[in-house]
Short mmCIF file of all heavy atoms in Angstrom, two decimals:
data_model
loop_
_atom_site.label_atom_id
_atom_site.label_comp_id
_atom_site.label_asym_id
_atom_site.label_seq_id
_atom_site.Cartn_x
_atom_site.Cartn_y
_atom_site.Cartn_z
N MET A 1411 15.47 -11.02 6.77
CA MET A 1411 14.17 -11.66 6.70
C MET A 1411 13.08 -10.64 7.00
O MET A 1411 13.17 -9.91 8.00
CB MET A 1411 14.10 -12.81 7.72
CG MET A 1411 12.78 -13.53 7.71
SD MET A 1411 12.70 -14.84 8.96
CE MET A 1411 14.00 -15.92 8.39
N ALA A 1412 12.08 -10.61 6.16
CA ALA A 1412 10.99 -9.66 6.38
C ALA A 1412 10.13 -10.11 7.57
O ALA A 1412 9.71 -11.25 7.66
CB ALA A 1412 10.13 -9.56 5.12
N LYS A 1413 9.89 -9.21 8.51
CA LYS A 1413 9.04 -9.54 9.66
C LYS A 1413 7.60 -9.14 9.41
O LYS A 1413 6.68 -9.78 9.88
CB LYS A 1413 9.56 -8.84 10.91
CG LYS A 1413 10.86 -9.42 11.43
CD LYS A 1413 11.23 -8.76 12.76
CE LYS A 1413 12.48 -9.41 13.34
NZ LYS A 1413 12.85 -8.79 14.62
N ASP A 1414 7.42 -8.05 8.74
CA ASP A 1414 6.07 -7.56 8.47
C ASP A 1414 5.91 -7.37 6.97
O ASP A 1414 6.74 -6.73 6.34
CB ASP A 1414 5.83 -6.22 9.18
CG ASP A 1414 5.94 -6.34 10.68
OD1 ASP A 1414 5.22 -7.17 11.25
OD2 ASP A 1414 6.77 -5.62 11.27
N VAL A 1415 4.85 -7.93 6.46
CA VAL A 1415 4.54 -7.74 5.05
C VAL A 1415 3.32 -6.84 4.95
O VAL A 1415 2.27 -7.15 5.49
CB VAL A 1415 4.25 -9.09 4.36
CG1 VAL A 1415 3.79 -8.88 2.92
CG2 VAL A 1415 5.47 -9.99 4.41
N LEU A 1416 3.48 -5.71 4.29
CA LEU A 1416 2.35 -4.81 4.05
C LEU A 1416 1.80 -5.12 2.67
O LEU A 1416 2.56 -5.29 1.71
CB LEU A 1416 2.81 -3.36 4.14
CG LEU A 1416 3.34 -2.93 5.52
CD1 LEU A 1416 3.85 -1.50 5.44
CD2 LEU A 1416 2.27 -3.06 6.59
N CYS A 1417 0.49 -5.20 2.59
CA CYS A 1417 -0.14 -5.61 1.33
C CYS A 1417 -1.49 -4.93 1.21
O CYS A 1417 -2.23 -4.83 2.18
CB CYS A 1417 -0.30 -7.13 1.33
SG CYS A 1417 -1.14 -7.73 -0.15
N GLU A 1418 -1.81 -4.49 0.03
CA GLU A 1418 -3.10 -3.83 -0.18
C GLU A 1418 -4.08 -4.68 -0.99
O GLU A 1418 -5.10 -4.20 -1.44
CB GLU A 1418 -2.91 -2.47 -0.86
CG GLU A 1418 -2.28 -2.52 -2.22
CD GLU A 1418 -2.11 -1.14 -2.83
OE1 GLU A 1418 -2.07 -0.14 -2.08
OE2 GLU A 1418 -2.01 -1.06 -4.06
N VAL A 1419 -3.75 -5.96 -1.16
CA VAL A 1419 -4.63 -6.86 -1.91
C VAL A 1419 -5.72 -7.37 -0.95
O VAL A 1419 -5.67 -8.48 -0.41
CB VAL A 1419 -3.84 -8.03 -2.53
CG1 VAL A 1419 -4.75 -8.86 -3.43
CG2 VAL A 1419 -2.66 -7.50 -3.32
N SER A 1420 -6.73 -6.54 -0.74
CA SER A 1420 -7.73 -6.80 0.31
C SER A 1420 -8.67 -7.95 -0.01
O SER A 1420 -9.42 -8.39 0.87
CB SER A 1420 -8.53 -5.53 0.59
OG SER A 1420 -9.19 -5.10 -0.58
N ASN A 1421 -8.65 -8.47 -1.22
CA ASN A 1421 -9.50 -9.61 -1.54
C ASN A 1421 -8.73 -10.93 -1.43
O ASN A 1421 -9.17 -11.96 -1.96
CB ASN A 1421 -10.11 -9.47 -2.93
CG ASN A 1421 -9.07 -9.49 -4.03
OD1 ASN A 1421 -7.99 -8.91 -3.87
ND2 ASN A 1421 -9.37 -10.14 -5.14
N CYS A 1422 -7.62 -10.93 -0.72
CA CYS A 1422 -6.85 -12.15 -0.48
C CYS A 1422 -7.26 -12.74 0.87
O CYS A 1422 -7.51 -12.00 1.83
CB CYS A 1422 -5.36 -11.84 -0.48
SG CYS A 1422 -4.33 -13.28 -0.05
N THR A 1423 -7.33 -14.07 0.95
CA THR A 1423 -7.69 -14.76 2.19
C THR A 1423 -6.79 -14.33 3.35
O THR A 1423 -7.24 -14.25 4.49
CB THR A 1423 -7.54 -16.28 1.99
OG1 THR A 1423 -8.46 -16.69 0.97
CG2 THR A 1423 -7.82 -17.05 3.27
N PHE A 1424 -5.55 -14.04 3.07
CA PHE A 1424 -4.58 -13.74 4.13
C PHE A 1424 -4.50 -12.26 4.50
O PHE A 1424 -3.77 -11.88 5.41
CB PHE A 1424 -3.19 -14.23 3.71
CG PHE A 1424 -3.13 -15.69 3.45
CD1 PHE A 1424 -3.05 -16.19 2.15
CD2 PHE A 1424 -3.19 -16.60 4.50
CE1 PHE A 1424 -3.02 -17.55 1.91
CE2 PHE A 1424 -3.16 -17.97 4.27
CZ PHE A 1424 -3.07 -18.45 2.96
N TRP A 1425 -5.25 -11.43 3.81
CA TRP A 1425 -5.20 -10.00 4.08
C TRP A 1425 -5.87 -9.69 5.41
O TRP A 1425 -6.89 -10.28 5.77
CB TRP A 1425 -5.90 -9.23 2.95
CG TRP A 1425 -5.80 -7.74 3.10
CD1 TRP A 1425 -4.78 -6.96 2.67
CD2 TRP A 1425 -6.75 -6.87 3.71
NE1 TRP A 1425 -5.03 -5.64 2.98
CE2 TRP A 1425 -6.24 -5.56 3.62
CE3 TRP A 1425 -7.98 -7.07 4.33
CZ2 TRP A 1425 -6.92 -4.46 4.12
CZ3 TRP A 1425 -8.66 -5.98 4.84
CH2 TRP A 1425 -8.12 -4.68 4.73
N ALA A 1426 -5.31 -8.74 6.17
CA ALA A 1426 -5.88 -8.32 7.46
C ALA A 1426 -5.93 -6.81 7.53
O ALA A 1426 -5.16 -6.10 6.86
CB ALA A 1426 -5.04 -8.88 8.60
N VAL A 1427 -6.85 -6.32 8.35
CA VAL A 1427 -7.04 -4.87 8.52
C VAL A 1427 -5.70 -4.20 8.85
O VAL A 1427 -4.93 -4.71 9.67
CB VAL A 1427 -8.08 -4.60 9.63
CG1 VAL A 1427 -8.14 -3.11 9.92
CG2 VAL A 1427 -9.44 -5.12 9.20
N GLY A 1428 -5.47 -3.09 8.21
CA GLY A 1428 -4.22 -2.37 8.40
C GLY A 1428 -3.23 -2.68 7.29
O GLY A 1428 -2.04 -2.39 7.40
N ASN A 1429 -3.74 -3.32 6.22
CA ASN A 1429 -2.89 -3.74 5.11
C ASN A 1429 -1.78 -4.67 5.57
O ASN A 1429 -0.61 -4.53 5.20
CB ASN A 1429 -2.30 -2.53 4.37
CG ASN A 1429 -3.29 -1.93 3.39
OD1 ASN A 1429 -4.36 -2.50 3.14
ND2 ASN A 1429 -2.96 -0.78 2.85
N LEU A 1430 -2.17 -5.64 6.41
CA LEU A 1430 -1.22 -6.63 6.90
C LEU A 1430 -1.48 -7.97 6.23
O LEU A 1430 -2.59 -8.27 5.80
CB LEU A 1430 -1.35 -6.79 8.41
CG LEU A 1430 -1.08 -5.52 9.22
CD1 LEU A 1430 -1.38 -5.76 10.69
CD2 LEU A 1430 0.36 -5.07 9.04
N CYS A 1431 -0.44 -8.79 6.14
CA CYS A 1431 -0.55 -10.15 5.61
C CYS A 1431 -0.46 -11.12 6.77
O CYS A 1431 0.50 -11.08 7.55
CB CYS A 1431 0.58 -10.41 4.62
SG CYS A 1431 0.60 -12.12 4.03
N SER A 1432 -1.46 -12.01 6.91
CA SER A 1432 -1.49 -12.94 8.05
C SER A 1432 -0.89 -14.29 7.72
O SER A 1432 -0.89 -15.20 8.56
CB SER A 1432 -2.94 -13.11 8.52
OG SER A 1432 -3.71 -13.75 7.52
N ALA A 1433 -0.38 -14.46 6.51
CA ALA A 1433 0.23 -15.75 6.15
C ALA A 1433 1.52 -15.96 6.93
O ALA A 1433 2.23 -15.01 7.26
CB ALA A 1433 0.51 -15.77 4.65
N ASP A 1434 1.82 -17.22 7.25
CA ASP A 1434 3.07 -17.53 7.97
C ASP A 1434 4.28 -17.17 7.13
O ASP A 1434 5.32 -16.77 7.64
CB ASP A 1434 3.12 -19.02 8.33
CG ASP A 1434 2.12 -19.38 9.40
OD1 ASP A 1434 1.72 -18.48 10.18
OD2 ASP A 1434 1.72 -20.55 9.47
N ARG A 1435 4.13 -17.33 5.84
CA ARG A 1435 5.20 -16.96 4.92
C ARG A 1435 4.56 -16.76 3.56
O ARG A 1435 3.47 -17.25 3.28
CB ARG A 1435 6.30 -18.01 4.86
CG ARG A 1435 5.84 -19.37 4.37
CD ARG A 1435 6.98 -20.35 4.38
NE ARG A 1435 6.54 -21.66 3.90
CZ ARG A 1435 7.34 -22.68 3.74
NH1 ARG A 1435 8.64 -22.56 4.01
NH2 ARG A 1435 6.89 -23.83 3.31
N ILE A 1436 5.24 -16.02 2.72
CA ILE A 1436 4.72 -15.80 1.38
C ILE A 1436 5.80 -16.17 0.36
O ILE A 1436 6.99 -16.20 0.68
CB ILE A 1436 4.26 -14.34 1.14
CG1 ILE A 1436 5.42 -13.36 1.28
CG2 ILE A 1436 3.11 -13.99 2.08
CD1 ILE A 1436 5.07 -11.95 0.80
N TYR A 1437 5.33 -16.45 -0.83
CA TYR A 1437 6.22 -16.84 -1.92
C TYR A 1437 6.02 -15.84 -3.05
O TYR A 1437 4.94 -15.74 -3.63
CB TYR A 1437 5.87 -18.26 -2.36
CG TYR A 1437 6.75 -18.87 -3.42
CD1 TYR A 1437 8.06 -18.43 -3.62
CD2 TYR A 1437 6.29 -19.91 -4.20
CE1 TYR A 1437 8.86 -19.00 -4.57
CE2 TYR A 1437 7.08 -20.50 -5.17
CZ TYR A 1437 8.37 -20.05 -5.35
OH TYR A 1437 9.17 -20.62 -6.30
N VAL A 1438 7.04 -15.08 -3.31
CA VAL A 1438 6.98 -14.06 -4.36
C VAL A 1438 7.75 -14.55 -5.58
O VAL A 1438 8.88 -15.02 -5.46
CB VAL A 1438 7.55 -12.71 -3.87
CG1 VAL A 1438 7.51 -11.67 -4.97
CG2 VAL A 1438 6.77 -12.22 -2.65
N VAL A 1439 7.11 -14.44 -6.72
CA VAL A 1439 7.71 -14.95 -7.94
C VAL A 1439 7.77 -13.85 -9.00
O VAL A 1439 7.09 -12.84 -8.91
CB VAL A 1439 6.90 -16.14 -8.51
CG1 VAL A 1439 6.89 -17.29 -7.53
CG2 VAL A 1439 5.49 -15.71 -8.86
N SER A 1440 8.59 -14.09 -9.99
CA SER A 1440 8.61 -13.23 -11.17
C SER A 1440 7.53 -13.72 -12.11
O SER A 1440 7.52 -14.88 -12.50
CB SER A 1440 9.98 -13.32 -11.85
OG SER A 1440 9.90 -12.73 -13.14
N HIS A 1441 6.59 -12.87 -12.45
CA HIS A 1441 5.49 -13.35 -13.29
C HIS A 1441 5.84 -13.39 -14.76
O HIS A 1441 5.04 -13.79 -15.58
CB HIS A 1441 4.20 -12.56 -13.02
CG HIS A 1441 4.20 -11.13 -13.51
ND1 HIS A 1441 3.10 -10.32 -13.36
CD2 HIS A 1441 5.13 -10.38 -14.10
CE1 HIS A 1441 3.37 -9.14 -13.86
NE2 HIS A 1441 4.58 -9.14 -14.32
N THR A 1442 7.01 -13.01 -15.09
CA THR A 1442 7.42 -13.11 -16.48
C THR A 1442 8.12 -14.42 -16.76
O THR A 1442 8.34 -14.77 -17.91
CB THR A 1442 8.38 -11.96 -16.85
OG1 THR A 1442 9.55 -12.09 -16.04
CG2 THR A 1442 7.74 -10.62 -16.65
N GLY A 1443 8.47 -15.13 -15.69
CA GLY A 1443 9.24 -16.36 -15.88
C GLY A 1443 10.71 -16.06 -16.11
O GLY A 1443 11.51 -16.96 -16.30
N GLU A 1444 11.03 -14.79 -16.05
CA GLU A 1444 12.42 -14.38 -16.24
C GLU A 1444 12.81 -13.48 -15.08
O GLU A 1444 12.04 -13.28 -14.15
CB GLU A 1444 12.57 -13.62 -17.56
CG GLU A 1444 12.15 -14.44 -18.77
CD GLU A 1444 12.14 -13.61 -20.04
OE1 GLU A 1444 12.42 -12.40 -19.96
OE2 GLU A 1444 11.85 -14.18 -21.10
N LYS A 1445 13.99 -12.92 -15.13
CA LYS A 1445 14.40 -12.00 -14.08
C LYS A 1445 13.54 -10.74 -14.14
O LYS A 1445 13.38 -10.14 -15.21
CB LYS A 1445 15.88 -11.62 -14.23
CG LYS A 1445 16.83 -12.77 -13.90
CD LYS A 1445 18.27 -12.32 -13.99
CE LYS A 1445 19.20 -13.47 -13.63
NZ LYS A 1445 20.63 -13.08 -13.76
N ALA A 1446 12.98 -10.36 -12.96
CA ALA A 1446 12.14 -9.16 -12.93
C ALA A 1446 13.01 -7.92 -13.10
O ALA A 1446 14.10 -7.83 -12.53
CB ALA A 1446 11.39 -9.10 -11.60
N LYS A 1447 12.48 -6.99 -13.88
CA LYS A 1447 13.23 -5.73 -14.10
C LYS A 1447 12.84 -4.68 -13.08
O LYS A 1447 13.58 -3.75 -12.81
CB LYS A 1447 12.96 -5.22 -15.52
CG LYS A 1447 13.56 -6.10 -16.61
CD LYS A 1447 13.33 -5.51 -17.99
CE LYS A 1447 14.06 -6.29 -19.07
NZ LYS A 1447 13.60 -7.68 -19.18
N ASN A 1448 11.63 -4.80 -12.52
CA ASN A 1448 11.16 -3.87 -11.49
C ASN A 1448 10.03 -4.56 -10.71
O ASN A 1448 9.68 -5.70 -11.00
CB ASN A 1448 10.69 -2.55 -12.12
CG ASN A 1448 9.70 -2.78 -13.25
OD1 ASN A 1448 8.73 -3.51 -13.06
ND2 ASN A 1448 9.94 -2.19 -14.40
N SER A 1449 9.47 -3.86 -9.74
CA SER A 1449 8.47 -4.47 -8.87
C SER A 1449 7.23 -4.92 -9.63
O SER A 1449 6.54 -5.86 -9.21
CB SER A 1449 8.08 -3.50 -7.75
OG SER A 1449 7.52 -2.32 -8.30
N ARG A 1450 6.94 -4.30 -10.75
CA ARG A 1450 5.76 -4.70 -11.52
C ARG A 1450 5.93 -6.08 -12.13
O ARG A 1450 4.96 -6.69 -12.58
CB ARG A 1450 5.47 -3.66 -12.62
CG ARG A 1450 4.94 -2.36 -12.07
CD ARG A 1450 4.76 -1.35 -13.17
NE ARG A 1450 6.05 -1.02 -13.79
CZ ARG A 1450 6.20 -0.22 -14.81
NH1 ARG A 1450 5.15 0.35 -15.35
NH2 ARG A 1450 7.40 0.03 -15.29
N GLY A 1451 7.13 -6.57 -12.14
CA GLY A 1451 7.40 -7.89 -12.70
C GLY A 1451 7.32 -9.00 -11.66
O GLY A 1451 7.70 -10.13 -11.94
N THR A 1452 6.82 -8.68 -10.45
CA THR A 1452 6.74 -9.68 -9.39
C THR A 1452 5.30 -9.90 -8.96
O THR A 1452 4.45 -9.03 -9.11
CB THR A 1452 7.57 -9.26 -8.16
OG1 THR A 1452 6.98 -8.10 -7.58
CG2 THR A 1452 9.00 -8.97 -8.55
N ASP A 1453 5.03 -11.07 -8.42
CA ASP A 1453 3.69 -11.43 -7.95
C ASP A 1453 3.80 -12.25 -6.68
O ASP A 1453 4.76 -13.00 -6.50
CB ASP A 1453 2.97 -12.31 -8.99
CG ASP A 1453 2.50 -11.53 -10.19
OD1 ASP A 1453 1.86 -10.49 -10.01
OD2 ASP A 1453 2.80 -11.96 -11.32
N CYS A 1454 2.75 -12.14 -5.83
CA CYS A 1454 2.67 -12.99 -4.65
C CYS A 1454 1.96 -14.28 -5.04
O CYS A 1454 0.76 -14.27 -5.32
CB CYS A 1454 1.90 -12.29 -3.53
SG CYS A 1454 1.70 -13.34 -2.09
N LYS A 1455 2.69 -15.38 -5.05
CA LYS A 1455 2.10 -16.66 -5.43
C LYS A 1455 1.26 -17.25 -4.30
O LYS A 1455 0.49 -18.18 -4.51
CB LYS A 1455 3.21 -17.64 -5.84
CG LYS A 1455 2.71 -18.86 -6.58
CD LYS A 1455 3.85 -19.67 -7.15
CE LYS A 1455 3.31 -20.84 -7.97
NZ LYS A 1455 4.41 -21.62 -8.56
N THR A 1456 1.41 -16.73 -3.10
CA THR A 1456 0.64 -17.22 -1.94
C THR A 1456 -0.80 -16.73 -1.98
O THR A 1456 -1.66 -17.26 -1.29
CB THR A 1456 1.33 -16.77 -0.64
OG1 THR A 1456 2.70 -17.17 -0.69
CG2 THR A 1456 0.70 -17.40 0.59
N PHE A 1457 -1.08 -15.74 -2.78
CA PHE A 1457 -2.43 -15.17 -2.89
C PHE A 1457 -3.48 -16.25 -3.09
O PHE A 1457 -3.31 -17.15 -3.91
CB PHE A 1457 -2.48 -14.19 -4.06
CG PHE A 1457 -3.87 -13.76 -4.41
CD1 PHE A 1457 -4.51 -12.77 -3.70
CD2 PHE A 1457 -4.55 -14.38 -5.46
CE1 PHE A 1457 -5.82 -12.37 -4.02
CE2 PHE A 1457 -5.85 -14.00 -5.80
CZ PHE A 1457 -6.48 -13.00 -5.07
N GLU A 1458 -4.54 -16.14 -2.30
CA GLU A 1458 -5.71 -16.99 -2.49
C GLU A 1458 -6.92 -16.07 -2.43
O GLU A 1458 -7.07 -15.31 -1.46
CB GLU A 1458 -5.84 -18.06 -1.40
CG GLU A 1458 -4.83 -19.17 -1.52
CD GLU A 1458 -5.07 -20.26 -0.49
OE1 GLU A 1458 -6.18 -20.34 0.06
OE2 GLU A 1458 -4.13 -21.02 -0.23
N PRO A 1459 -7.80 -16.11 -3.42
CA PRO A 1459 -8.95 -15.22 -3.41
C PRO A 1459 -9.86 -15.51 -2.22
O PRO A 1459 -10.14 -16.67 -1.90
CB PRO A 1459 -9.65 -15.51 -4.74
CG PRO A 1459 -9.16 -16.85 -5.16
CD PRO A 1459 -7.78 -16.98 -4.61
N ALA A 1460 -10.28 -14.45 -1.55
CA ALA A 1460 -11.17 -14.61 -0.40
C ALA A 1460 -12.58 -14.93 -0.89
O ALA A 1460 -12.96 -14.58 -2.00
CB ALA A 1460 -11.18 -13.31 0.40
N ASP A 1461 -13.32 -15.60 -0.02
CA ASP A 1461 -14.73 -15.89 -0.32
C ASP A 1461 -15.49 -14.57 -0.39
O ASP A 1461 -15.55 -13.83 0.59
CB ASP A 1461 -15.30 -16.78 0.77
CG ASP A 1461 -16.73 -17.20 0.49
OD1 ASP A 1461 -17.35 -16.61 -0.43
OD2 ASP A 1461 -17.21 -18.10 1.18
N GLU A 1462 -16.01 -14.28 -1.52
CA GLU A 1462 -16.68 -12.99 -1.72
C GLU A 1462 -17.88 -12.81 -0.80
O GLU A 1462 -18.33 -11.71 -0.57
CB GLU A 1462 -17.12 -12.84 -3.18
CG GLU A 1462 -15.97 -12.84 -4.17
CD GLU A 1462 -15.06 -11.63 -4.04
OE1 GLU A 1462 -15.54 -10.58 -3.57
OE2 GLU A 1462 -13.88 -11.72 -4.39
N LEU A 1463 -18.43 -13.92 -0.27
CA LEU A 1463 -19.62 -13.83 0.57
C LEU A 1463 -19.29 -13.56 2.02
O LEU A 1463 -20.17 -13.25 2.82
CB LEU A 1463 -20.44 -15.13 0.47
CG LEU A 1463 -20.96 -15.47 -0.93
CD1 LEU A 1463 -21.70 -16.79 -0.91
CD2 LEU A 1463 -21.87 -14.36 -1.43
N SER A 1464 -18.04 -13.70 2.42
CA SER A 1464 -17.69 -13.50 3.83
C SER A 1464 -17.24 -12.07 4.08
O SER A 1464 -17.07 -11.31 3.17
CB SER A 1464 -16.58 -14.46 4.25
OG SER A 1464 -15.41 -14.20 3.50
S1 SF4 B 2973 -0.60 -13.73 0.71
FE1 SF4 B 2973 0.26 -12.21 -0.70
S2 SF4 B 2973 -1.52 -11.24 -1.66
FE2 SF4 B 2973 -2.24 -12.31 0.17
S3 SF4 B 2973 -2.24 -10.75 1.81
FE3 SF4 B 2973 -0.26 -11.85 1.88
S4 SF4 B 2973 1.14 -10.63 0.62
FE4 SF4 B 2973 -0.96 -10.00 0.11
#
């Protein structure tokens, strides 16, 4: 089980300084709808865009 998730998607609501993810858990999916062949074929479905004004 992953204890620490490092993430550079800084415009996500759950992103925290130090490239950390503050979500209790994340859901990673294959964005092709099929078996991913490499990391580029995966996406974080937990992503929520941060309020651009905050
Ligand atoms: S929810 Fe996903 S995209 Fe958002 S900070 Fe966590 S790992 Fe990154």
Side-chain angles (χ1 to χ4, degrees):
M1411 180 182 297
K1413 289 186 176 180
D1414 298 304
V1415 175
L1416 297 176
C1417 177
E1418 61 181 23
V1419 186
S1420 59
N1421 64 321
C1422 175
T1423 298
F1424 300 106
W1425 184 86
V1427 173
N1429 279 351
L1430 300 174
C1431 175
S1432 65
D1434 290 336
R1435 61 182 181 177
I1436 63 169
Y1437 184 24
V1438 178
V1439 298
S1440 167
H1441 71 178
T1442 62
E1444 301 173 357
K1445 289 183 179 178
K1447 292 182 173 63
N1448 51 50
S1449 61
R1450 288 176 297 177
T1452 66
D1453 286 310
C1454 177
K1455 195 171 184 178
T1456 307
F1457 169 81
E1458 287 185 19
D1461 184 348
E1462 297 294 333
L1463 299 178
S1464 62

